Amino acid sequence: MSRRYVQGGHRGGITVCAKHFPGHGDTTGDTHREIPVVDKSFAQLMQEDLWPFKAAVDAGVDLVMTSHIRYPQIDAAHPATLSAPILRGVLREQLGFGGIVISDSMNMGAIRRNYAPVEAALLAFKAGIDMMMLSEEHYDHDTAYLDNQLAMLDAIVADASAGRFPELDSIVSRVVAFKLARLQPMALYQDFNLPAHLEIEQQAAQAAVKILRDPARLLPIQAGQQVVVIQTTPLADYANLMNPRGIGPNQAISAFDYFAAEMSLHLEADRLLILDHDAAQAWLLDQASSSTALVLAVTENYPLPGEDFQQAASREMVDGLSRAMGPRLLVVGLRSGYEAINSDVPYLCAYSSRECSARAAARVCIGRA
């Protein structure tokens, strides 16, 4: 898959980066907050985690982004971003990568909570980083932002002037050659067929939807069946989907709203009741026990780097609905399917919280896909 991704990107004129080296596939910690540890030998990594990176390198990937993960059996002192044994020894020498090594954000908790900004920058460049991403980022408009940036630049200049940064010439040569070869000729804007792209997006989203559990064959919704669509997430929990950091998911309209809109397109108004979290709580107390409707409880999760989308209230709502509705409840997960593991409630999963996935899930529910 990584080889095909690189090849497809290059055919489309896109510069491709593989990340986060040597791999986040076996971590339990979040590098936005801490330094996770993966205690594997080099042989284990080569047999497991490094396969997709090796395929990407062999396919000519342009950049490799590092991870702030520590691999004590390779480097007991530093995470990969600051580790010469990992960046020079494994990536350059073992995998044969000759392109640009770019750091993950140096403003993440794994780095900022364990290293001073200047120390981290010098360690990273001397370990094998060619380009540094966000050595200082004013998420919160910290007044120290500019001072830290200038201190980092001054330290690099001082080390280079004193002859303590022999790697600098090769770094500059690689970066300039890369920009001239790959970025300078690239058109800033290209004509594209937006409807065709959206069609591909919708096809991919539709193909991903999967009914993980439905023993009573609740789906597709039968003709004449009354349906209650419930937003298990309180409105307040969506507040951070648009935030000043600007790095995602930047989704002003919730996945639930798209799902409900698609359901409304295909079901008659007198068959469909759409309830937000507060209205659903009242309905659960007053009417659920006497209802014969099929209840679709929509759960959501969103990628918020370094933060978490609140889900406790949503889980409580699903638990309450399960007790009240029994076999007439089906969860529609506009998210990953992990929450379905420890439950026996019927479950449809869209594997995404984007509009295309929410609408695709609705079409499966109503039997249009």
Side-chain angles (χ1 to χ4, degrees):
M1 290 176 68
S2 61
R3 176 173 61 87
R4 293 290 192 181
Y5 194 99
V6 173
Q7 293 170 341
H10 285 168
R11 281 201 295 270
I14 296 170
T15 298
V16 183
C17 178
K19 63 177 191 174
H20 299 76
F21 186 84
H24 258 286
D26 205 12
T27 56
T28 55
D30 179 357
T31 51
H32 294 90
R33 298 179 171 94
E34 61 183 310
I35 300 178
V37 175
V38 175
D39 193 16
K40 288 185 176 182
S41 67
F42 174 70
Q44 284 179 285
L45 290 172
M46 281 300 296
Q47 196 169 17
E48 300 166 2
D49 306 61
L50 294 176
W51 272 107
F53 289 100
K54 181 67 167 70
V57 168
D58 291 346
V61 72
D62 305 279
L63 303 94
V64 170
M65 183 182 289
T66 64
S67 67
H68 305 324
I69 303 169
R70 193 161 64 86
Y71 295 81
Q73 295 193 43
I74 301 175
D75 186 339
H78 298 301
T81 299
L82 312 180
S83 170
I86 291 175
L87 300 185
R88 298 189 192 284
V90 177
L91 181 57
R92 294 287 191 203
E93 295 173 14
Q94 295 291 333
L95 300 190
F97 180 61
I100 298 296
V101 180
I102 184 169
S103 77
D104 200 355
S105 169
M106 300 294 282
N107 201 56
M108 293 162 64
I111 301 298
R112 291 297 296 272
R113 293 174 183 171
N114 296 281
Y115 299 87
V118 169
E119 176 194 15
L122 293 174
L123 282 171
F125 279 125
K126 293 178 180 181
I129 293 292
D130 296 314
M131 298 177 72
M132 185 170 292
M133 181 172 67
L134 304 179
S135 58
E136 278 296 311
E137 182 180 10
H138 54 197
Y139 287 155
D140 46 11
H141 308 287
D142 188 339
T143 55
Y145 166 73
L146 182 58
D147 291 340
N148 286 337
Q149 283 279 21
L150 294 174
M152 181 198 70
L153 295 172
D154 289 344
I156 291 171
V157 170
D159 265 27
S161 300
R164 295 190 296 269
F165 197 177
E167 304 88 355
L168 183 60
D169 283 351
S170 60
I171 290 173
V172 172
S173 296
R174 266 195 302 273
V175 171
V176 170
F178 161 68
K179 289 185 174 182
L180 290 175
R182 298 290 289 147
L183 303 186
Q184 191 271 338
M186 185 183 294
L188 293 180
Y189 302 98
Q190 300 180 40
D191 290 333
F192 66 98
N193 184 336
L194 181 58
H197 285 223
L198 293 175
E199 177 62 26
I200 293 171
E201 175 191 66
Q202 194 58 63
Q203 289 174 9
Q206 201 70 66
V209 178
K210 187 173 182 65
I211 298 172
L212 301 184
R213 186 168 45 244
D214 185 15
R217 301 295 177 94
L218 300 174
L219 298 180
I221 297 167
Q222 300 301 307
Q225 172 72 63
Q226 296 291 313
V227 179
V228 179
V229 173
I230 289 180
Q231 185 174 30
T232 65
T233 301
L235 295 179
D237 288 352
Y238 296 106
N240 207 27
L241 297 190
M242 301 288 290
N243 62 57
R245 292 172 63 187
I247 58 174
N250 300 323
Q251 187 166 324
I253 300 174
S254 74
F256 174 85
D257 287 340
Y258 288 122
F259 178 84
E262 189 71 21
M263 294 292 290
S264 297
L265 286 177
H266 302 285
L267 291 183
E268 302 87 347
D270 60 352
R271 291 177 54 200
L272 180 63
L273 179 62
I274 297 173
L275 302 175
D276 66 20
H277 183 272
D278 290 346
Q281 286 185 312
W283 181 86
L284 187 55
L285 287 173
D286 299 334
Q287 302 176 50
S289 59
S290 61
S291 174
T292 59
L294 169 63
V295 174
L296 302 181
V298 177
T299 63
E300 300 160 78
N301 198 3
Y302 296 83
L304 295 169
E307 305 167 36
D308 294 307
F309 181 67
Q310 297 300 315
Q311 299 174 72
S314 176
R315 287 192 288 267
E316 290 177 8
M317 173 68 76
V318 170
D319 289 343
L321 289 167
S322 179
R323 289 190 294 270
M325 304 307 300
R328 297 192 306 281
L329 172 69
L330 182 131
V331 173
V332 177
L334 306 181
R335 44 157 298 148
S336 68
Y338 288 113
E339 68 174 354
I341 292 173
N342 297 315
S343 168
D344 57 2
V345 176
Y347 197 101
L348 177 143
C349 192
Y351 295 98
S352 161
S353 53
R354 291 300 191 186
E355 176 183 0
C356 54
S357 298
R359 293 188 181 276
R363 284 194 286 271
V364 170
C365 288
I366 60 177
R368 294 294 182 97

